[in-house]
Structures are given as structure tokens and as C-alpha cells.
Amino acid sequence: MVIDNLGNTINIKESIDKAINEQLQPVIELERLSRKEYLPAEDIAKLFSLEKNTLNTQRSRGVGPPYVKIGSKVLYSIEEVRAYLKRHTVKTLPNL
């Protein structure tokens, strides 16, 4: 425990643990998502740095990655999205 300039008691270990947890939270969330087989558009967007609206627009136009629809629920297979992105990779010339 430490006392700051204002006389407040600070638990350094708790403060460090909280700061580390806040910094790691996005990484933990992405890891959690990547372990699932099927995800909704919003989670696929997070995982692959895409816009949810782009996925929705592509789906409504009949293009984009394959998806599963059960009732009103739309899910994407992580493997199908990876394959879709791989098929749409643009090859560029190497730097000379």
C-alpha cells in the first residue's frame, strides 16, 4: 500500500492487475471469439477487422462469405470466412 499526494491509500498490486487486465481485455476477447466455430456478423467483423454493415450488405446482395441462417439468426463459419478472404487476396508485384 502507498499513500498518494492527496492522502489516498493505493494498493499497487490491485492497480497493476487492473491496468494489465484492461490492456489484455481486447486480446482475450479476440481469443475467445477465435475458439468458436460459428459467429454472428458483429463478432466476425471484430475478428477479421471488417465492417458489420459490409457483411450485411454483401449478404443481402448474394455475395460475400457463405453463411448459415436459422430463423432470423445469421451465423458465419470462421473457416468459411478465412477461405473467402484467402480467395479474394489481391497479388501485388514485389518491390524492386
Side-chain angles (χ1 to χ4, degrees), residues 44-85:
I44 287 293
K46 285 181 205 171
L47 194 59
F48 290 99
S49 299
L50 302 170
E51 292 293 327
K52 179 184 170 193
N53 288 340
T54 300
L55 290 169
N56 293 341
T57 300
Q58 288 179 333
R59 188 176 66 249
S60 71
R61 292 180 180 168
V63 297
Y67 62 93
V68 175
K69 186 164 184 176
I70 302 172
S72 62
K73 185 97 170 164
V74 175
L75 299 171
Y76 292 88
S77 159
I78 289 178
E79 291 307 315
E80 290 283 353
V81 174
R82 280 193 180 111
Y84 174 81
L85 293 174

